[in-house]
Structures are given as structure tokens and as C-alpha cells.
Amino acid sequence: MPRVLINGAHLNYEAAGEGPALVLLHPNPFDHTIWRHQTARFSLWFQVLATDLRGYGRSDRIVSPSIRTMSDDVAGLLDHLGIAQAIVVGLSVGGIIAQEFAVDHPDRLRALVVAGCAASGTDIQRFMDARIEGYSTQPLEAYYLTHLRELTAPGFPDTRFGAYLLDTFREKGPTLQRESIVSIYRAIKAWSVTERLGQVRAPSVYIAGEHDPALATTRAASRLVPGAVFHEIPGAGHACCLEAPDEFDRLVLDFFRMHRLLPPPNR
């Protein structure tokens, strides 16, 4: 997987497929592999770029990034690859970055897909404070596992499929850095696009799982974007693309077809 120097940091991404660009932005505390199902599927039509945010995966462990910096990282990756426009898909903090990109770089956005997030850090402050407290004071790997389990629907971690998927992230616990995780939550607390989402003109869809604590804030954010639609995935939690990839993918592909964004298969 390539690592490129963008905005002073070495950032890792996985590329798959050919065609129009589609960028996948992961949530905290996962990495780009949360999109394993979507990378495999969407690469039939798109050049899929699944990134590791600053602080995760094989990207540099950077403390105190701003959401705008991480939005500019997306633009920098597109510049590096010579790509003018992209569909941007983001979950949780990835969705926050995607929304920031939508208002910072509107001419580079073909479409916006956002899941499990909010339009402002103020709207989710208690969740951010709880994560900052947990990652700051508790044993890192133990709290990381607790966090992973809490991001999915009740019972999902105890299924064979859920246990397997979460184990693939639990095993990465020793690679994490406490300060990097906490700094992203602090950046979210200081962030808002509430007053700017009305400027978005690209086709937009918002998605959240039935058991996602961010269900209400995701729905509320969708109402700020002209023409945006909102979908709820029954039975899913916050990590809906991992827990319910069939339903998540169906909603996204239907959205692409509706807006004539789905090109012919590339192979």
C-alpha cells in the first residue's frame, strides 16, 4: 500500500479498481480496513481510495490535527494522484472530514455519502468527552476493545462474524498511540459545519444504524444539506458498513444509480 507525503505527514492509502475516484474515510478508532467489503465491491466500478487517517494504520502518528487539515489531506491525495473530483464516503470522524471537504473543496466533490456523524462537535460533546476520558485514563488496549464493542449493535460482537471482524481490529491495539486518538476527539469538539452545509450542491446521502448513538445527529445533519436523503439501517450500530455491508452497499449503490454516478463495470 502506498505512503505519500501530504501536508507534512506520511499518509497511507489502499487503491483498488479503475474509473471515477471514490474516497473512503474511516471512523475513530478503526483504520481503512473497516471498508474491506466496500473496497472489494465498489472497485468493480470505481478507483477506490481507502485512506488511513493521521494517527491510524500505516499513516504517521500525528498529534493535534484539525478537521480542516484532514480535509485538506483528502484534497492533497487527489492532487498527488492527478484526480480533479471524487465521490467522498465517510463514517463517524470520516463523515465529519467528508462534510468539511464538501464545504472546503466544493468544486472537487462529485457526491457525498455520510454515515454516523453530526454537523457539529457541540452536538456530540458528551460522547467526545467520554472517549477522551476513557482513552486518557484507562489501559489503552483494554479500553480500545471496549470501544470497538460499543460501536456495534447489541449482540453483534458475540456472533461468529462479529467476533472475527472485531478481532482483526483488536489485534492492532499495540500499534495505537493514545495521544493521537485523543487529539482527534478534541479536534471534533472544536469543529462545526452547521452554518455551511447549506452551501453543498453535490448529491448527498446520510446513513445511520438503528442502534447508532449518532442516529439523531446524522438525521439532523442531513436536513441541513439541500436535497440530501437519510436512511436508517435496521439492526445495525455505529459501524454500519462493517456490521451490515449488504444493506449499506445497497443504499449507496441505489443512490449512485439515482444520480447516474455508477459507470459501466471496469472489468
Side-chain angles (χ1 to χ4, degrees):
M1 292 178 288
R3 294 180 83 237
V4 295
L5 183 62
I6 296 174
N7 295 333
H10 289 95
L11 304 179
N12 179 66
Y13 71 95
E14 176 182 330
E18 299 176 353
L22 188 152
V23 178
L24 300 173
L25 303 173
H26 68 81
N28 205 358
F30 295 90
D31 60 19
H32 79 275
T33 58
I34 195 173
W35 300 109
R36 64 192 70 190
H37 305 300
Q38 289 71 39
T39 297
R41 191 167 192 183
F42 295 164
S43 61
L44 177 61
W45 299 279
F46 298 97
Q47 179 186 10
V48 176
L49 305 169
T51 67
D52 283 332
L53 303 181
R54 294 166 178 253
Y56 287 95
R58 295 184 62 245
S59 291
D60 284 348
R61 301 296 188 256
I62 303 292
V63 177
S64 299
S66 70
I67 300 302
R68 175 163 287 183
T69 296
M70 291 189 283
S71 162
D72 290 341
D73 287 345
V74 178
L77 176 60
L78 297 180
D79 288 341
H80 173 77
L81 297 172
I83 296 170
Q85 284 191 319
I87 297 170
V88 180
V89 181
L91 169 60
S92 192
V93 65
I96 284 170
I97 296 166
Q99 291 177 107
E100 182 70 30
F101 181 87
V103 297
D104 288 347
H105 306 280
D107 57 323
R108 309 201 68 174
L109 182 71
R110 290 190 69 213
L112 178 67
V113 180
V114 173
C117 68
S120 168
T122 301
D123 298 336
I124 49 176
Q125 181 170 332
R126 67 186 181 92
F127 298 110
M128 300 301 97
D129 287 341
R131 295 305 178 201
I132 290 170
E133 174 70 15
Y135 277 110
S136 297
T137 63
Q138 297 189 33
L140 178 57
E141 292 184 44
Y143 186 73
Y144 173 57
L145 179 57
T146 297
H147 187 191
L148 290 175
R149 293 179 64 92
E150 290 177 352
L151 290 177
T152 59
F156 178 79
D158 301 315
T159 66
R160 290 179 64 184
F161 180 59
Y164 165 74
L165 290 175
L166 292 187
D167 273 352
T168 65
F169 291 102
R170 177 187 57 80
E171 291 160 357
K172 300 175 185 180
T175 73
L176 299 176
Q177 185 182 89
R178 187 188 307 273
E179 293 80 6
S180 295
I181 298 173
V182 169
S183 68
I184 290 179
Y185 286 121
R186 287 181 175 145
I188 293 171
K189 287 184 61 174
W191 166 86
S192 176
V193 288
T194 301
E195 302 300 324
R196 296 188 289 160
L197 282 180
Q199 304 168 12
V200 176
R201 294 295 178 264
S204 303
V205 61
Y206 283 66
I207 300 169
E210 175 188 4
H211 300 288
D212 189 345
L215 173 64
T217 56
T218 307
R219 181 185 288 111
S222 74
R223 293 171 178 158
L224 300 176
V225 179
V229 295
F230 172 80
H231 297 287
E232 178 180 329
I233 299 180
H238 189 60
C240 56
C241 67
L242 190 71
E243 299 172 69
D246 51 347
E247 183 64 7
F248 182 89
D249 291 1
R250 183 189 67 78
L251 292 172
V252 173
L253 290 172
D254 284 351
F255 167 72
F256 289 162
R257 291 186 182 102
M258 180 189 308
H259 292 281
R260 299 183 178 179
L261 294 167
L262 197 66
N266 56 44
R267 60 181 181 275

